Amino acid sequence: MCGIVGILGNHEAAPNLVAALKRLEYRGYDSAGIATVNAGVLDRRRAVGKLANLNDTLVHDPLAGKTGIGHTRWATHGAPTIANAHPHQAQDVAVVHNGIIENFRELRAELAAAGIACQTETDTETVALFTQLHMDKGLSPVEAAFATITKLQGAFALAFLFQGQDDLILAARMGPPLAIGHGDGEMFIGSDAIALASLTDRITYLEDGDRAVVTRAGVEIRDAKGTLVNRPIRRIEIDASHVDKAGHKHFMAKEIAEQPAVLANTLKHYLTDGGEILLPDPGIDFTAFDRVTMVACGTAFYACMTAKYWFERIARLPVEIDVASEYRYREPPIPGRTLALFVSQSGETADTLAALRYCDGKAERIVSVVNVPESSIARESDLVLPIHAGVEVGVASTKAFTCQLTVLLMLALKAAHARGEIDGTSLANHVDALRGLPALMHLGIGQSPQIQATARKLSEARDILFLGRGIMYPLALEGALKLKEISYIHAEAYASGELKHGPIALIDKHVPVVVMAPNDALFDKTVSNMQEVMARKGKVVLISDAKGLDDAGDGVWDQVEMPACPDVIAPILYAVPAQLLAYHTAVAKGTDVDQPRNLAKSVTVE
Ligand code: G6P
């Protein structure tokens, strides 16, 4: 995982390195560090914990120099300690790394045989040590770094900085993305363009196998075979403005609250005044496909799972879904006429990107639904459908989820209409339902005080179950995921019909059971399952509309009232109470809501 940056600047590098790392904190935040070269002298500062700690360190122990590299870490090899924090230094070279060096044990053994001992538990240190070893044998810094890279197996985005070299950073990419930023007499390196947003808008993306020699005069890129290559400079549009909490206590609270406005914006990008659903050029001809394969991770996967119900029920298109970390390893056959759809907020999730590459050349068409249009997944897709959620800072995804759902529902409706499964009137009704969503969400968010009271009670539980049926089942899964991510309470979700096949054994008076049940066609069946829970003294929290609560609310432990809504949009609306329950429970427990322990917003390693 981790984020890396590099600066060959005309001003002091440290403040800009830290600011760029701040933008990369979504990749990890368990330690951070920077290294600079100042008048030829290579030096570094590192700190455990969030970037604020590195900032403190730099206040007491500043680091001068206009050339530097930086890193924010999500530990893979070795605990988050100062020793394991990047940059890793071996005398005259410092290295920052995003990825995993899979053959690091062999490399360590080779180093040991040469009498060189590793000082850290990381895989990355071997890169610094080998580069130093090569320099000791007389290779130049560039030759030494390149010789080291040829020894590496696994995934890496690397940046190297050298003692005595004020005008040189080397960068290499195999797997994780790496962007080179072009300034005026300055050059930059970043894990993504967002990291460099306040420094430049001119970006070159390295391709797999590329090695770049970066100086203030520009960049020279060679591919894996050593051939000089020209990679285009793109001018990108990224809002460099500081994202703030707008008066909320946490980014997550802000991102939940802004969903009505954000969703209205998403709809505006896809719906014409006449109620037509417009896709970016060249669109999708849904009559050309017999099936859809959807792949994603985490919350984005639950968006796919929800969309499966829409595509199959409304558009009569069979849908296969899988989590990206499993997908390519089961080597699924991909018949012709398959539309492959990848959903990712960040567009950088390593497994989702790898699944996309697995489908490349096999599926008829590769489409991605992303929040970051400049991301790797977007760049490698045939068609990109942006969700227009704006920057999402909270590690637990909220507004991106509801925007993903909204785009996927519009896609399913478009498919249904194109395939003749619904007529114009039915399409118009569904579109009307979508247009009504922001107002309904606003009402849902208005239930926050009630949900907060419920959450206070939930915060005392050790285990919580979530139940849903039909299209509310993925929502139950999302509710449980959200809760465990940020409150650290063990939560599981089941399709309520499955309760009797095992999970009912868990029910006793200590286990709250959250039932997500709008008053839809499956309501009575869900209520029967809920009664089975109550008969075993389970404490039911029923989330439904006024009619549902009226019909079935007797005897429940607690309830949350949602506005009545058309069935088709219920999963999007009911995401709100799921998010608020998790949020208020986490606040009641005093956890770090926006940056929960052990997690990262974007998982850029396998
Ligand atoms: C991490 C995040 C989740 C997110 C998942 C997929 O686990 O914590 O919130 O849903 O990655 O990320 P993506 O950027 O691909 O949607």
Side-chain angles (χ1 to χ4, degrees):
M1 237 116 89
C2 315
I4 67 178
V5 290
I7 294 179
L8 289 148
N10 294 326
H11 308 281
E12 284 304 301
N16 283 336
L17 285 169
V18 173
L21 288 177
K22 185 78 198 148
R23 293 173 183 276
L24 288 175
E25 240 187 338
Y26 74 90
R27 289 167 165 265
Y29 39 77
D30 56 36
S31 59
I34 62 171
T36 60
V37 180
N38 185 34
V41 179
L42 178 64
D43 201 358
R44 62 179 168 165
R45 302 283 183 272
R46 298 172 295 167
V48 171
K50 297 193 186 160
L51 263 181
N53 297 350
L54 177 64
N55 247 335
D56 289 349
T57 304
L58 287 165
V59 168
H60 296 112
D61 197 4
L63 200 53
K66 296 177 179 169
T67 306
I69 55 176
H71 188 270
T72 178
R73 180 168 189 246
W74 185 88
T76 58
H77 294 65
T81 59
I82 292 259
N84 289 332
H86 299 220
H88 286 287
Q89 188 172 350
Q91 202 179 315
D92 293 336
V93 57
V95 177
V96 287
H97 170 216
N98 166 210
I100 293 175
I101 309 294
E102 285 169 1
N103 60 334
F104 83 103
R105 283 183 197 81
E106 291 90 313
L107 296 176
R108 274 176 176 235
E110 219 181 299
L111 286 164
I116 299 166
C118 290
Q119 308 297 323
T120 79
E121 300 160 284
T122 67
D123 50 342
T124 309
E125 188 190 11
T126 57
V127 180
L129 290 172
F130 262 106
T131 306
Q132 183 65 47
L133 185 63
H134 289 134
M135 290 197 292
D136 290 345
K137 288 181 180 163
L139 297 190
S140 71
V142 175
E143 290 164 346
F146 286 178
T148 303
I149 289 163
T150 55
K151 297 178 79 71
L152 306 179
Q153 287 165 17
F156 50 82
L158 289 163
F160 298 76
L161 191 67
F162 300 93
Q163 170 90 8
Q165 304 283 343
D166 284 277
D167 193 21
L168 177 68
I169 296 179
L170 298 188
R173 174 193 175 181
M174 181 57 78
L178 202 51
I180 308 286
H182 303 257
D184 296 324
E186 301 183 298
M187 291 293 287
F188 313 100
I189 290 164
S191 287
D192 64 24
I194 300 166
L196 307 180
S198 59
L199 300 168
T200 181
D201 61 354
R202 286 182 294 141
I203 297 292
T204 297
Y205 288 101
L206 294 187
E207 294 191 4
D208 265 352
D210 281 356
R211 295 131 195 227
V213 178
V214 193
T215 64
R216 284 181 181 75
V219 58
E220 189 183 275
I221 304 174
R222 287 177 191 274
D223 66 12
K225 292 191 192 115
T227 312
L228 266 179
V229 285
N230 250 329
R231 304 281 181 229
I233 300 178
R234 302 162 181 240
R235 202 170 271 278
I236 51 152
E237 275 176 44
I238 289 186
D239 184 2
S241 59
H242 179 67
V243 183
D244 68 19
K245 294 181 190 155
H248 292 272
K249 196 169 166 198
H250 299 100
F251 278 108
M252 185 180 178
K254 176 202 165 212
E255 287 159 4
I256 293 173
E258 71 190 10
Q259 286 176 110
V262 169
L263 274 185
N265 178 49
T266 306
L267 292 171
K268 201 179 76 198
H269 277 89
Y270 285 90
L271 294 181
T272 65
D273 290 347
E276 219 188 312
I277 298 168
L278 279 189
L279 302 182
D281 278 344
I284 302 173
D285 173 9
F286 280 101
T287 61
F289 301 105
D290 295 332
R291 62 202 287 278
V292 181
T293 290
M294 289 191 198
V295 185
C297 294
T299 288
F301 174 70
Y302 294 139
C304 295
M305 199 169 174
T306 313
K308 178 179 164 75
Y309 286 80
W310 286 323
F311 271 97
E312 294 191 335
R313 191 180 300 159
I314 309 174
R316 309 306 299 159
L317 252 177
V319 175
E320 175 204 35
I321 53 168
D322 204 350
V323 287
S325 51
E326 287 297 316
Y327 181 71
R328 68 191 188 284
Y329 293 114
R330 65 182 172 86
E331 296 177 23
I334 302 180
R337 295 173 63 84
T338 295
L339 172 68
L341 207 58
F342 299 87
V343 181
S344 174
Q345 187 284 127
S346 63
E348 299 294 352
T349 301
D351 282 317
T352 310
L353 181 59
L356 182 153
R357 288 175 178 166
Y358 175 84
C359 289
D360 195 11
K362 300 188 187 86
E364 193 92 13
R365 195 93 190 279
I366 292 188
V367 176
S368 60
V369 175
V370 296
N371 195 30
V372 183
E374 279 298 324
S375 60
S376 303
I377 288 174
R379 280 184 281 119
E380 295 192 26
S381 304
D382 300 329
L383 179 71
V384 182
L385 305 177
I387 61 168
H388 301 288
V391 177
E392 189 180 66
V393 177
V395 164
S397 186
T398 52
K399 63 175 180 170
F401 177 62
T402 48
C403 288
Q404 286 162 353
L405 288 176
T406 302
V407 170
L408 290 168
L409 174 54
M410 288 190 282
L411 215 53
L413 293 174
K414 188 148 180 88
H417 191 239
R419 295 167 64 83
E421 296 294 342
I422 56 171
D423 60 17
T425 313
S426 171
L427 177 65
N429 288 340
H430 283 120
V431 167
D432 280 350
L434 269 168
R435 286 200 204 277
L437 189 54
L440 290 170
M441 274 209 149
H442 185 72
L443 292 174
I445 290 165
Q447 296 294 60
S448 189
Q450 161 63 39
I451 295 173
Q452 184 175 19
T454 307
R456 274 199 207 106
K457 298 200 273 179
L458 287 184
S459 68
E460 281 158 28
R462 216 185 58 183
D463 308 285
I464 298 178
L465 285 186
F466 281 72
L467 297 181
R469 203 157 181 152
I471 201 162
M472 297 309 289
Y473 169 44
L475 240 284
L477 287 161
E478 169 62 5
L481 175 66
K482 214 80 306 170
L483 191 82
K484 56 190 153 195
E485 274 184 310
I486 59 170
S487 76
Y488 316 146
I489 295 176
H490 170 238
E492 287 192 57
Y494 285 91
S496 46
E498 278 294 293
L499 194 66
K500 291 191 274 295
H501 299 288
I504 200 161
L506 299 172
I507 305 288
D508 63 18
K509 63 180 192 304
H510 302 293
V511 180
V513 180
V514 179
V515 181
M516 323 266 297
N519 191 21
D520 61 11
L522 292 175
F523 183 71
D524 290 340
K525 293 195 185 303
T526 312
V527 167
S528 304
N529 302 137
M530 189 181 99
Q531 295 298 343
E532 292 156 10
V533 170
M534 290 183 351
R536 284 153 186 88
K537 298 196 168 58
K539 298 163 163 170
V540 167
V541 177
L542 177 59
I543 306 180
S544 187
D545 45 43
K547 176 148 192 337
L549 295 177
D550 215 36
D551 289 355
D554 276 357
V556 298
W557 185 52
D558 213 335
Q559 59 186 44
V560 176
E561 185 180 329
M562 283 287 105
C565 70
D567 289 356
V568 73
I569 57 163
I572 314 181
L573 178 62
Y574 277 62
V576 168
Q579 296 163 351
L580 285 171
L581 261 188
Y583 173 73
H584 287 305
T585 306
V587 172
K589 291 204 72 181
T591 56
D592 188 341
V593 171
D594 285 332
Q595 294 186 319
R597 69 184 182 201
N598 304 341
L599 297 180
K601 181 131 193 81
S602 174
V603 178
T604 57
V605 291
E606 262 197 62

